[in-house]
Amino acid sequence: MRYLILSDIHSNWEALESVLADAAGDYSQILCLGDLVGYGADPNAVTAWARQHVHRIVRGNHDKAVAGLLDLAWFNPAAAAAAIWTREQLQPENLEYLKRLPPGPLGVESFRLVHGSPADEDDYVLTRWEAAQLRQYLESPLYFFGHTHVQGGFLVHRNGTQVVPPLRPSQRRHIFELPEDFWCLINPGSVGQPRDGDPRAAYAIYDSEERTVEFRRVPYNVSLAQRKILEAGLPAGLAHRLALGQ
Ligand code: ZN
């Protein structure tokens, strides 16, 4: 089965549209690692799309915050302002959908979906050291995670860890073969707010028969997404960072 793996769309409709056009015809099911909303200006369009098209999904911390399931004191001021704005914008059926999203880990075939970490849905896995600490929690050879907005991931072996680097700015696609004797923690990157220095929307295609992950990047209409954020009265920094990929 070929899966389209999306994470951290963050109400960015322009980025999502470009990813879907780029991946069209190349997958059977869509899986999502959470944070449908927060930061961007199109929470209803993105959530309504997810309700119709996403096969399996776990909740992200921004989904929880908007749904009233996470204290906004955990958020920085811009993220909190965006969560409050998003809650006011959402149509009732979309808000209800966010409230009912399940926490990870969620099993699909023999792999798992999580938002943050296999240990805790709200934890960040940013370093090899953090990945190495997760050994005791790993129940499957393959986890897809998001939350950091950094494409790539980690391979965890009893003898140490290795880093799966993100695509270089010159690359559009890269096929990565999952090695047999490692636990693989794979991050498709963020569709709607990349933070790995590359402003292009990030996603991945997982082929469960070939055991390959294809990391992909696709340009999108950043200036339109920025304009919508500013016109909505959301914090200007949320618009500016999209052009930087930070
Ligand atoms: Zn996120």
Side-chain angles (χ1 to χ4, degrees):
M1 177 89 86
R2 284 174 71 83
Y3 297 96
L4 174 61
I5 316 266
L6 306 179
S7 192
D8 298 282
I9 300 168
H10 282 294
S11 302
N12 187 335
W13 180 252
E14 286 67 37
L16 176 61
E17 260 190 328
S18 289
V19 163
L20 294 173
D22 195 57
D26 206 8
Y27 59 87
S28 306
Q29 287 199 1
I30 302 176
L31 308 178
C32 182
L33 310 176
D35 278 1
L36 287 172
V37 299
Y39 297 134
D42 277 315
N44 279 307
V46 169
T47 308
W49 170 84
R51 287 169 51 209
Q52 253 200 308
H53 297 285
V54 172
H55 292 86
R56 307 296 296 278
I57 178 171
V58 293
R59 65 189 186 184
N61 52 321
H62 287 258
D63 305 320
K64 281 200 292 181
V66 167
L69 302 171
L70 183 75
D71 190 343
L72 288 179
W74 290 97
F75 275 18
N76 66 51
I84 292 164
W85 178 88
T86 301
R87 193 183 297 161
E88 288 165 356
Q89 300 295 314
L90 276 177
Q91 288 154 4
E93 59 273 28
N94 290 335
L95 187 57
E96 206 40 50
Y97 176 78
L98 295 183
K99 280 184 187 163
R100 288 199 308 265
L101 291 179
L106 184 68
V108 182
E109 292 192 43
S110 61
F111 60 97
R112 304 275 196 280
L113 312 180
V114 298
H115 181 62
S117 144
D120 187 308
E121 62 181 343
D122 293 333
D123 279 358
Y124 290 89
V125 188
L126 279 160
T127 66
R128 293 168 68 148
W129 186 85
E130 286 164 346
Q133 306 311 306
L134 295 170
R135 282 192 190 90
Q136 59 178 307
Y137 299 99
L138 301 177
E139 294 169 342
S140 156
L142 174 60
Y143 282 79
F144 288 98
F145 73 103
H147 197 33
T148 62
H149 301 207
V150 176
Q151 191 180 52
F154 303 93
L155 306 178
V156 179
H157 192 271
R158 62 181 174 280
N159 299 326
T161 53
Q162 292 178 20
V163 175
V164 181
L167 288 189
R168 290 188 296 277
S170 59
Q171 290 176 298
R172 282 267 285 121
R173 297 182 172 190
H174 170 68
I175 294 180
F176 181 78
E177 283 184 35
L178 298 173
E180 286 292 342
D181 37 358
F182 284 84
W183 290 291
C184 302
L185 306 176
I186 299 294
N187 191 328
S190 168
V191 172
Q193 195 201 72
R195 293 180 195 159
D196 46 14
D198 183 342
R200 297 175 299 174
Y203 73 100
I205 301 268
Y206 171 53
D207 189 318
S208 60
E209 274 134 52
E210 301 288 328
R211 275 189 58 84
T212 58
V213 173
E214 185 170 351
F215 293 108
R216 296 184 178 179
R217 301 301 282 239
V218 60
Y220 72 95
N221 192 339
V222 172
S223 54
L224 179 54
Q226 289 178 313
R227 196 156 69 234
K228 287 182 176 178
I229 287 171
L230 296 173
E231 282 171 4
L234 287 160
L238 298 178
H240 295 148
R241 65 189 300 177
L242 293 181
L244 306 172
Q246 282 172 3

